[in-house]
C-alpha cells in the first residue's frame, strides 16, 4: 500500500506526464495499484530500436519518492532480459545514488538513454544491431499478445503503429 506521500507524488507525476510527455516514453499507473506503473518506450529513429515499442513496469516502493523503483521490461529488445529487473543508477539496485527529485519521466528518459548505450549490467544482454532491429519489427505483435499490455494500453493495442506515429500515440494514450 502506498504511503500518502507516494500516492500524492505519483498522482501529480501522472498528471504532469499527461500534459507534457517526454519524447518516446509514456506511462500509466495500474488502475488497482498506483505503485505499479506500466510504461511504453518507442524506439527513437536512427537507433537499432527504431519502430519498436517496448513495454515494461516500474515497481515503486511504498516509501517513494524516498526510495527508487524496480524496473522490468517485458518486450524482447536485444538489450534487456525480458521480465528481469534492470540494474541502473535510477533503480532499486542503487538506493545510494537515488535522488528523490527524480520523477517517472526522468526515470523513463534515463532508461531509454541506458537502453541506447552498450553498458552491460544485471538484466542486460548483448546482441547485434541486426537482432535488435528484428526484435523491434516484432515488438508490437509481441506486446498485443500480452494481456497486461492490452489492459494498460488498450488504444495502442488496437492499432498498428509505424515509425512516424508517435504524435498519434500521444493522443491515443494521453
Amino acid at each position: 500500500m502506498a504511503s500518502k506521500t507516494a500516492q500524492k507524488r505519483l498522482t501529480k507525476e501522472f498528471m504532469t506526464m499527461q500534459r507534457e510527455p517526454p519524447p518516446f516514453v509514456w506511462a500509466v499507473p495500474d488502475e488497482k495499484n498506483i505503485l505499479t506503473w506500466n510504461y511504453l518506450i518507442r524506439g527513437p529513429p536512427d537507433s537499432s530500436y527504431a519502430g519498436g515499442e517496448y513495454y515494461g513496469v516500474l515497481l515503486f516502493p511504498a516509501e517513494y519518492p524516498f526510495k527508487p523503483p524496480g524496473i522490468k521490461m517485458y518486450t524482447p529488445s536485444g538489450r534487456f532480459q525480458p521480465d528481469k529487473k534492470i540494474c541502473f543508477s535510477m533503480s532499486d539496485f542503487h538506493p545510494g545514488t537515488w535522488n528523490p527529485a527524480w520523477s517517472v519521466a526522468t526515470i523513463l528518459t534515463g532508461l531509454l538513454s541506458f537502453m541506447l548505450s552498450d553498458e552491460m549490467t544485471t538484466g542486460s544482454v548483448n546482441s547485434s544491431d541486426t537482432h535488435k532491429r528484428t526484435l523491434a519489427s516484432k515488438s508490437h505483435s509481441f506486446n498485443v499478445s500480452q494481456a497486461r499490455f492490452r489492459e494498460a494500453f488498450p488504444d495502442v493495442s488496437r492499432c498498428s503503429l509505424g515509425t512516424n506515429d508517435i504524435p498519434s500515440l500521444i493522443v491515443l494514450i494521453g
Side-chain angles (χ1 to χ4, degrees):
M1 175 165 242
S3 68
K4 286 184 180 184
T5 302
Q7 176 86 28
K8 184 176 179 180
R9 172 75 177 265
L10 289 168
T11 299
K12 179 181 176 186
E13 290 186 31
F14 176 64
M15 291 187 305
T16 299
M17 282 197 70
Q18 294 302 298
R19 280 192 318 269
E20 304 165 21
F24 308 110
V25 299
W26 299 269
V28 294
D30 185 272
E31 289 181 8
K32 298 176 188 115
N33 181 0
I34 197 161
L35 295 176
T36 300
W37 281 54
N38 298 283
Y39 69 81
L40 183 63
I41 294 176
R42 290 284 295 167
D46 303 324
S47 77
S48 301
Y49 308 100
E53 60 182 34
Y54 304 93
Y55 165 63
V57 292
L58 300 175
L59 305 165
F60 291 97
E63 300 84 7
Y64 181 79
F66 303 108
K67 290 188 178 180
I71 303 167
K72 290 183 177 184
M73 185 177 288
Y74 296 120
T75 310
S77 65
R79 176 67 174 109
F80 301 117
Q81 295 175 31
D83 201 16
K84 300 285 182 191
K85 278 194 168 182
I86 300 167
C87 172
F88 87 115
S89 61
M90 296 177 160
S91 74
D92 58 0
F93 279 88
H94 296 281
T97 62
W98 174 249
N99 182 340
W102 289 337
S103 65
V104 172
T106 307
I107 295 162
L108 291 175
T109 300
L111 179 61
L112 173 59
S113 178
F114 189 58
M115 185 174 175
L116 297 172
S117 77
D118 292 324
E119 182 182 345
M120 294 303 291
T121 187
T122 301
S124 66
V125 297
N126 192 9
S127 67
S128 70
D129 286 346
T130 301
H131 183 65
K132 291 172 185 170
R133 284 185 178 92
T134 298
L135 291 172
S137 70
K138 298 176 180 179
S139 62
H140 182 74
S141 296
F142 173 85
N143 289 340
V144 297
S145 74
Q146 307 300 305
R148 284 187 271 184
F149 177 84
R150 291 190 311 269
E151 290 171 15
F153 300 106
D155 292 333
V156 176
S157 298
R158 289 190 290 270
C159 67
S160 176
L161 298 176
T163 306
N164 297 320
D165 288 336
I166 293 168
S168 299
L169 182 59
I170 293 169
V171 172
L172 286 173
I173 63 176

